[in-house]
Amino acid sequence: MFAAIWKPYSAGRKEVITAAGAAEGYLYFVIKGIQRVYYFDDQGREATLVFMYPPSFGGVVDSLLLGQPSRYYYETLTPSEFLRAPVSELQTLMAERPQISEMVRLGVTQTLSGILERLVEVQCFSSEDKFRNLLRRSPHILQLVPHKYLANYLGIDATNFSKLLNKIKI
């Protein structure tokens, strides 16, 4: 039953899949490509919150689960291929099948744990420590994501990111 709700979907490079103000209608599973979720404020500043790449789930999960308009954008950085499940069908299955609901709850709990860890890094760690932790968690990310987005994700200037890249042995 769970497998039956997933359908193929593809998107081109730099395509906004979910825009701020729209409710997330799908849960995505990334098969190919790189995406990011970011926030855009009223002063024109961006904050990259998270990257997605295979094999992982994607989308604006709080909007999906709460049924509220998103405050964030879900954008492809490269051409991307997904499986996606409509939120209405996912919610029906979660109501009918406790095992599916439990699986989603565990996934959301792990995501929350990662977000809390990231909040500590953002608030307490130096730029160098944030960079080292990123490489520890995802050593392959330097080859996947353009450096300007990684610098934004870490909350550091692109010039300082380049200096860190040259300073720290990978």
Side-chain angles (χ1 to χ4, degrees):
M1 290 176 76
F2 187 65
I5 69 172
W6 296 88
K7 305 292 183 240
Y9 179 76
S10 61
R13 179 184 175 279
K14 295 294 288 169
E15 189 173 320
V16 173
I17 298 173
T18 305
E24 180 64 82
Y26 298 92
L27 177 61
Y28 294 86
F29 184 78
V30 181
I31 297 171
K32 180 182 175 186
I34 311 295
Q35 305 86 46
R36 70 178 179 140
V37 171
Y38 69 96
Y39 178 77
F40 195 74
D41 73 9
D42 56 2
Q43 296 176 25
R45 295 176 298 195
E46 275 182 22
T48 298
L49 305 174
V50 66
F51 297 104
M52 278 77 88
Y53 42 84
S56 68
F57 288 98
V60 185
V61 178
D62 67 329
S63 174
L64 179 120
L65 293 175
L66 295 171
Q68 298 176 344
S70 175
R71 294 177 288 167
Y72 313 107
Y73 292 85
Y74 182 36
E75 173 190 54
T76 61
L77 296 179
T78 65
S80 299
E81 294 177 13
F82 309 89
L83 293 175
R84 70 180 189 176
V87 65
S88 58
E89 293 181 40
L90 181 62
Q91 288 172 336
T92 298
L93 277 179
M94 288 170 61
E96 293 174 354
R97 302 286 185 178
Q99 306 92 327
I100 292 174
S101 184
E102 177 66 6
M103 181 179 64
V104 171
R105 185 191 67 75
L106 287 172
V108 170
T109 301
Q110 287 207 296
T111 300
L112 176 60
S113 176
I115 290 169
L116 292 173
E117 184 178 326
R118 176 142 156 69
L119 279 172
V120 169
E121 286 179 13
V122 167
Q123 293 184 352
C124 300
F125 288 20
S126 70
S127 295
E128 187 171 325
D129 288 338
K130 287 189 272 189
F131 184 77
R132 287 182 189 281
N133 279 351
L134 176 67
L135 294 180
R136 180 186 45 78
R137 269 194 319 268
S138 304
H140 58 293
I141 202 158
L142 290 175
Q143 285 74 42
L144 297 176
V145 176
H147 293 173
K148 72 178 185 175
Y149 296 117
L150 292 173
N152 182 267
Y153 172 79
L154 294 173
I156 60 178
D157 183 78
T159 304
N160 290 340
F161 182 86
S162 292
K163 289 177 184 175
L164 285 173
L165 197 57
N166 293 328
K167 176 182 176 183
I168 296 173
K169 295 186 184 196
I170 301 169

